[in-house]
Amino acid sequence: MAAISTSNKNGTSPLQTIVGNNHASLLDYMLREEEILVRSQLLDLNKAGLSLFHICSERNAHEILKTILTFATKKGSNKGDDELLNQVMS
């Protein structure tokens, strides 16, 4: 699982790379393999200071972001979901 949890030299996570390149089919794999990793990578910033949310916004990848947020919030409690969404949106 190290391959999907290790950022590259620019600090970009695998999830950010998948979204940045609009690879929806790889997103499905990532979501199946590692739900905790996905939740943590939602808040990661690369060296350019971009989060997954920023990358989705810049690339107009709204459906991908919706899929990720839906997946991430299905797995936890409602309180945790609200906190996660607030952190992503701030």
Side-chain angles (χ1 to χ4, degrees):
M1 289 298 163
I4 63 173
S5 63
T6 305
S7 297
N8 66 17
K9 65 182 178 181
N10 294 321
T12 303
S13 71
L15 189 55
Q16 290 172 335
T17 300
I18 288 168
V19 169
N21 291 300
N22 202 21
H23 291 303
S25 60
L26 291 175
L27 176 62
D28 291 338
Y29 169 78
M30 183 77 135
L31 295 178
R32 280 194 313 270
E33 290 302 315
E34 200 65 53
E35 82 181 60
I36 294 169
L37 183 65
V38 170
R39 287 180 74 98
S40 69
Q41 287 186 16
L42 282 173
L43 303 175
D44 287 348
L45 300 178
N46 63 18
K47 288 186 180 177
L50 299 175
S51 70
L52 185 62
F53 181 78
H54 293 112
I55 293 168
C56 284
S57 296
E58 284 184 350
R59 307 290 172 105
N60 291 319
H62 303 116
E63 286 301 314
I64 289 176
L65 181 61
K66 180 180 174 183
T67 299
I68 293 168
L69 290 176
T70 299
F71 174 83
T73 57
K74 277 187 196 174
K75 301 297 182 185
S77 69
N78 287 338
K79 182 179 182 228
D81 294 348
D82 289 343
E83 290 173 16
L84 177 66
L85 290 174
N86 286 334
Q87 288 176 317
V88 169
M89 299 303 285
S90 65

